[in-house]
Amino acid sequence: MPHETEPAPRYRDKPVSFVRRSGRMSDAQERAWAELSPRYVIEVQRDAAATSILPGTTIAPAEVYGRTAPLIVEIGSGQGHAIVHAAAQTPDTDFLAVEVFRAGLARTMLDADRDGVRNLRLVEANAPEVLEHLLPEASVDELWIFFPDPWHKAKHNKRRLVAPAFPPLAARALRDGGMLRLATDWEDYALQMRAVLGSASEFAAAFEGAWAPRFDGRVMTAFERKGLAKGREIRDLAYRRAARGPSGAA
């Protein structure tokens, strides 16, 4: 009898925009993951990697949150300080935190549970795949990207999230008129973001001058204070999703 051959292993064919999510969780974070993830974490089908999403895997926000409400998605939510604060302050809006660092997600759940936040969900996944597969088209009212990894070494710049391949993914998830908000403390990345979004037909700048004013919905975090203390200027950008054409294109 011939032996069955194992399928060839599959790997990512594009660079991903995150550092591998290694790192030991504290006992409190381990407990948070065990006790709170059933309430907060969206379980998804995986593809080739632990943080991937199987194409065709899509959520229905109204089912996930148990209601129909505006949806704000934060990519790279880190420890969750910004999104937990926003969710607590805006209970009539639903929030989704996208992060690959499990300890950060555990901390987010701890803070959300402490504050009684129930309009927040989390997904442990690579952001482009969330935008491409998990979220229904035109389901997001605002997309936040605050202080993404700058990958400041030139040889690593290709890993930056906001690159030419990014606008179509963001535009797919955002509703017509939806907002894309960005902030970074790395000048060259800010310039790259502005160039990429400025040339994207799916978006129009929602600010005048060189940079957008600081988004007042973004709580000041320790990370932002650290950047300011090091003398780095915080630069904000904001773009509105253009109306789709009759065929659904930008």
Side-chain angles (χ1 to χ4, degrees), residues 23 91 94 107 110 139 152 156 168 227:
D94 292 330
R107 172 62 184 271
L110 282 169
S139 63
H152 57 277
H156 291 153

Side-chain angles (χ1 to χ4, degrees), residues 94-117:
D94 292 330
F95 291 82
L96 176 65
V98 181
E99 179 57 64
V100 295
F101 186 40
R102 183 170 286 200
L105 291 171
R107 172 62 184 271
T108 301
M109 289 189 287
L110 282 169
D111 290 348
D113 186 60
R114 178 201 62 205
D115 293 346
V117 171

Side-chain angles (χ1 to χ4, degrees), residues 81 146-150 184-186 220-229 232 234:
H81 301 305
F146 299 148
F147 307 101
D149 193 324
T184 180
D185 58 342
W186 286 85
M220 179 69 73
T221 63
F223 185 91
E224 185 171 353
R225 289 192 187 94
K226 185 183 296 184
L228 290 169
R232 292 201 290 265
I234 310 301

Side-chain angles (χ1 to χ4, degrees), residues 60-67:
E63 294 179 6
V64 170
Y65 295 91
R67 65 178 182 177

Side-chain angles (χ1 to χ4, degrees), residues 5-197:
T5 58
E6 293 291 332
R10 296 172 57 234
Y11 302 96
R12 297 184 186 275
D13 58 1
K14 299 177 183 178
V16 291
S17 57
F18 55 82
V19 179
R20 183 69 188 124
R21 59 195 179 103
S22 58
R24 184 186 181 94
M25 292 203 293
S26 68
D27 290 343
Q29 289 168 336
E30 291 281 7
R31 288 195 300 271
W33 192 266
E35 297 172 7
L36 299 176
S37 62
R39 172 186 295 165
Y40 288 106
V41 176
I42 298 174
E43 295 294 336
V44 299
Q45 290 182 284
R46 303 297 181 182
D47 191 14
T51 54
S52 64
I53 293 177
L54 186 69
T57 302
T58 305
I59 62 169
E63 294 179 6
V64 170
Y65 295 91
R67 65 178 182 177
T68 299
L71 177 61
I72 294 177
V73 177
E74 184 181 10
I75 289 175
S77 54
Q79 300 290 317
H81 301 305
I83 200 166
V84 170
H85 179 269
Q89 295 296 312
T90 322
D92 293 335
T93 297
D94 292 330
F95 291 82
L96 176 65
V98 181
E99 179 57 64
V100 295
F101 186 40
R102 183 170 286 200
L105 291 171
R107 172 62 184 271
T108 301
M109 289 189 287
L110 282 169
D111 290 348
D113 186 60
R114 178 201 62 205
D115 293 346
V117 171
R118 297 293 179 264
N119 55 327
L120 171 65
R121 298 294 183 272
L122 291 63
V123 62
E124 183 185 17
N126 186 30
E129 293 167 60
V130 171
L131 297 174
E132 184 177 5
H133 303 302
L134 190 68
L135 293 166
E137 184 174 356
S139 63
V140 177
D141 289 83
E142 292 197 14
L143 183 62
W144 295 353
I145 306 173
F146 299 148
F147 307 101
D149 193 324
W151 292 102
H152 57 277
K153 292 183 179 179
K155 65 180 181 180
H156 291 153
N157 283 177
K158 63 184 179 181
R159 291 185 175 272
R160 286 178 170 174
L161 174 65
V162 185
F166 174 76
L169 296 178
R172 177 195 170 276
L174 280 165
R175 65 168 176 79
D176 290 3
M179 291 294 297
L180 171 61
R181 302 186 185 278
L182 309 100
T184 180
D185 58 342
W186 286 85
E187 181 181 14
D188 69 317
Y189 198 7
L191 293 169
Q192 176 177 323
M193 290 175 173
R194 192 174 63 183
V196 167
L197 274 303

